[in-house]
C-alpha cells in the first residue's frame, strides 16, 4: 500500500479536525464519516499496543493486493476512532479474513453487498467493553462501532474495494459501516460459540462470517419451544447468495426458554434446519434447481441450509422477545493474541 | 481483457490502477452466466479480432484509439473518490 503523508494546518483544534476530515474525504480514505487524523505518534502508540513490529505483514488483501502490515492496520484503526488496545482484535479479524477458504476477493468485488460479520468471544469482551447485551448491534458502543469500522476502512484502503473501481457493489449496505457484536456468554445456557469450535472458554477469539443481511425476528413469547422455533424459522427463508448457512443470534429470553424446555443447542439447530424450508413451487425454477443441485432441497421443498451444521446459533442481545437472523456462513475463528 | 458491457468501465478503472489505462477490452453483452457453451462460442468468436488487436497492435496505436474512451471510462463525471489512484 502506498502511504501518503500530508500536512494540515488550522487556527483551532476544531478547524484542524475539520480540515483533516475534508482532506481524507477528498483523498478517498474514509467511509464518508469523519476520521481521526493518523499522526505519527498516535500510530506508533497503536503499533506498540499490538505487541508486534510495525513492518510485520499480516497478509495481502485482495483485489488490490495491498500489504496489510501492522503499521497500515494501525493507521486505519486510528482513523476509525479505535483505542490502541483494540489492535489485537483487528489483527485477528484480518487474519481470519485472509484464510484461504474465506471468499474475501469475491466479497470485495461482487455486485452483492455481502460483508464480514465479526463475533467476539471470551474475556476480551469485558476488557474492551465490546457490547454483547442490550443494543449490541446498534450505535452507542465505541468498541463495536470503531473495530467494525476499522475493518471496513482496511478493506477499502488496503484492499482497494471502494465502490466504483474494484468493487462493483450495486447498492452497498449500511451493514458495511460496522457489523460486529460479542456473544452474551453470561446468559448463554449452552456452550459459547468459540468453545464449540475447539477453543478454551478463557481464550478470546474473533470469528468472521461471510454475511449477507440483517433480519430482526420479533415475537414468540410464552408459546413454548416448538412455536418459538417455528416463529424464527419462518423468518429464515432460503435466499439467493445465502447458501453458506444461517447465523441465529438467539435472544436471551428465548435461549432460556428453550434450555428450560430441555433442548440442547444441537436440538435447536436440527429443528430450525427442518423448519426453515418452503415449497419448491414458491421459487423461480432456476433458483430451486440450483439449490437442489447444491443439496439444499428435494422434490418437495427448498431448504435454508445444507445441514444442521450450517445453522449457527449464538446467544446475544438484551431482554425481549427478539432474535436476529443473519444469512451468514464460512466462519473463520482466530485467537486474539497480545491483549 | 475480456468483460461484459455492464462492467467494462470497472475493468478499465481496474486496469488503470495497475498501470494500463489503455488496455484493449473485448466486450460482450451482459449477462452471460446463463449461456450454454453453444451460445457462448459465437460470443467468443465475435471478440477474437479485438483480442488479437490487443495482443499485436503497437502501444502508441492502442493509446491513440483509446485515449478518449479511457478518459470517459476512468473518470466520468461524478466518478467515485478512491484511495486507489486511477
Amino acid at each position: 500500500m502506498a502511504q501518503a503523508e500530508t500536512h494540515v494546518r488550522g487556527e483551532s483544534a476544531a478547524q484542524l479536525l475539520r480540515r483533516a476530515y475534508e482532506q481524507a474525504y477528498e483523498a478517498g480514505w474514509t467511509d464518508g464519516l469523519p476520521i481521526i487524523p493518523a499522526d505519527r505518534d498516535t500510530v506508533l502508540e497503536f503499533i506498540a499496543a499490538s505487541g508486534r513490529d510495525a513492518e510485520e505483514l499480516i497478509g495481502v488483501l485482495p483485489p488490490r493486493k495491498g500489504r496489510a502490515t501492522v503499521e497500515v492496520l494501525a493507521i486505519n484503526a486510528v482513523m476509525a476512532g479505535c483505542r490502541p488496545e483494540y489492535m489485537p482484535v483487528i489483527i485477528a479479524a484480518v487474519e481470519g479474513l485472509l484464510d484461504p477458504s474465506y471468499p474475501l476477493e469475491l466479497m470485495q468485488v461482487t455486485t452483492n453487498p455481502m460483508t464480514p460479520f465479526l463475533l467476539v468471544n471470551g474475556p476480551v469482551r469485558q476488557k474492551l467493553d465490546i457490547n454483547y447485551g442490550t443494543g449490541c448491534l446498534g450505535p452507542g458502543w465505541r468498541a463495536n462501532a470503531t473495530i467494525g469500522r476499522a475493518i471496513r476502512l482496511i478493506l477499502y484502503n488496503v484492499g482497494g474495494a471502494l465502490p466504483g473501481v474494484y468493487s462493483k457493489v450495486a447498492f452497498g449496505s449500511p451493514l458495511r459501516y460496522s457489523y460486529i457484536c460479542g456473544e452474551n456468554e453470561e446468559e448463554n445456557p449452552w456452550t459459547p460459540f468459540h468453545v464449540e469450535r475447539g477453543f478454551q472458554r478463557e481464550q478470546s477469539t474473533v470469528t468472521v462470517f461471510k454475511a449477507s443481511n440483517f433480519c430482526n425476528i420479533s415475537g414468540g413469547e410464552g408459546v413454548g419451544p416448538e412455536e418459538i422455533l417455528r416463529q424464527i424459522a419462518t423468518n429464515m427463508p432460503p435466499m439467493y447468495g445465502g447458501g453458506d448457512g444461517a447465523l441465529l443470534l438467539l435472544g436471551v429470553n428465548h435461549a432460556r426458554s428453550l434450555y428450560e424446555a430441555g433442548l440442547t443447542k444441537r436440538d435447536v439447530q436440527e429443528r430450525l434446519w427442518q423448519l426453515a424450508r418452503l415449497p419448491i413451487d414458491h421459487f423461480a425454477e432456476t433458483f430451486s434447481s440450483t439449490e437442489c443441485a447444491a443439496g439444499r432441497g428435494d422434490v418437495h421443498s427448498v431448504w435454508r441450509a445444507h445441514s444442521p451444521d450450517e445453522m449457527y446459533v449464538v446467544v446475544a442481545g438484551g431482554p425481549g422477545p427478539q432474535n436476529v437472523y443473519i444469512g451468514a456462513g464460512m466462519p473463520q475463528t482466530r485467537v486474539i493474541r497480545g491483549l | 481483457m475480456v468483460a461484459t458491457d455492464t462492467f467494462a468501465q470497472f475493468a478499465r478503472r481496474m486496469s488503470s490502477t495497475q498501470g494500463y489505462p489503455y488496455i484493449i477490452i473485448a466486450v460482450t453483452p451482459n449477462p452471460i452466466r446463463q449461456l450454454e457453451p453453444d451460445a457462448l462460442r459465437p460470443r467468443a468468436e465475435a471478440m477474437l479480432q479485438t483480442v488479437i488487436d490487443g495482443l499485436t497492435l503497437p502501444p502508441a496505436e492502442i493509446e491513440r484509439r483509446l485515449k478518449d474512451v479511457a478518459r470517459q471510462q476512468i473518470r466520468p463525471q461524478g466518478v467515485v473518490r478512491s484511495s486507489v489512484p486511477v
Side-chain angles (χ1 to χ4, degrees), chain A residues 25 27-29 64 111 156-157 160 162-168 240, chain B residues 7 9-11 13-14 17-18 33 79-86:
Chain A
Y25 182 71
W29 297 339
R64 188 189 180 190
T111 55
Y156 275 1
N157 292 330
L162 200 67
V165 184
Y166 286 100
S167 170
K168 299 150 193 74
Y240 185 86
Chain B
F7 299 103
Q9 66 181 5
F10 294 97
R13 290 177 196 158
M14 289 167 61
T17 68
Q18 303 294 325
R33 74 164 69 183
V79 70
V80 294
R81 300 159 300 101
S82 173
S83 59
V84 182
V86 292

Side-chain angles (χ1 to χ4, degrees), chain A residues 37-304:
Chain A
D39 68 289
R40 187 171 300 275
D41 289 345
T42 309
V43 171
L44 290 174
E45 187 183 348
F46 274 57
I47 292 168
S50 77
R52 303 185 187 224
D53 292 334
E55 295 305 315
E56 181 179 340
L57 183 67
I58 305 303
V60 176
L61 284 176
R64 188 189 180 190
K65 300 181 177 63
R67 291 171 55 81
T69 63
V70 170
E71 180 184 35
V72 165
L73 301 188
I75 291 168
N76 284 278
V78 173
M79 290 200 300
C82 291
R83 288 184 168 136
E85 56 266 33
Y86 301 169
M87 277 294 290
V89 184
I90 293 165
I91 291 172
V94 171
E95 288 173 343
L97 295 173
L98 286 165
D99 189 281
S101 66
Y102 190 86
L104 183 60
E105 181 149 14
L106 165 71
M107 295 169 71
Q108 290 275 73
V109 301
T110 178
T111 55
N112 187 301
M114 56 183 72
T115 190
F117 170 73
L118 277 58
L119 177 71
V120 181
N121 279 97
V124 69
R125 295 165 304 127
Q126 275 93 7
K127 184 170 184 180
L128 301 185
D129 193 23
I130 294 172
N131 191 356
Y132 52 84
T134 298
C136 62
L137 286 177
W141 269 260
R142 181 173 176 179
N144 297 53
T146 62
I147 293 172
R149 187 188 182 203
I151 294 298
R152 175 51 51 190
L153 293 183
I154 289 162
L155 293 176
Y156 275 1
N157 292 330
V158 189
L162 200 67
V165 184
Y166 286 100
S167 170
K168 299 150 193 74
V169 68
F171 284 83
S173 166
L175 305 174
R176 287 191 164 193
Y177 282 100
S178 183
Y179 206 15
I180 173 176
C181 74
E183 179 168 22
N184 193 338
E185 296 174 30
E186 288 69 11
E187 296 186 87
N188 178 355
W190 301 296
T191 306
F193 184 79
H194 69 312
V195 176
E196 269 188 340
R197 291 178 67 79
F199 298 91
Q200 301 296 313
R201 187 180 284 267
E202 299 74 28
Q203 286 182 302
S204 292
T205 64
V206 60
T207 300
V208 295
F209 289 85
K210 165 182 168 281
S212 300
N213 70 335
F214 168 91
C215 176
N216 193 89
I217 303 172
S218 296
E221 267 184 303
V223 294
E226 178 68 9
E227 281 301 284
I228 290 172
L229 294 176
R230 190 176 298 277
Q231 169 73 5
I232 293 170
T234 51
N235 283 282
M236 306 170 90
M239 56 186 281
Y240 185 86
D244 310 310
L247 171 61
L248 174 65
L249 303 182
L250 188 61
V252 294
N253 288 24
H254 284 158
R256 175 56 54 184
S257 297
L258 295 169
Y259 175 76
E260 290 178 349
L263 274 67
T264 64
K265 192 192 284 191
R266 186 65 185 180
D267 293 333
V268 172
Q269 289 175 287
E270 290 184 351
R271 192 65 184 130
L272 287 174
W273 179 67
Q274 292 164 351
L275 291 170
R277 303 176 179 195
L278 284 172
I280 199 162
D281 60 7
H282 179 79
F283 296 99
E285 195 280 332
T286 49
F287 175 77
S288 58
S289 61
T290 301
E291 292 300 288
C292 289
R296 293 187 291 269
D298 55 22
V299 294
H300 305 293
S301 59
V302 179
W303 314 339
R304 182 61 190 80

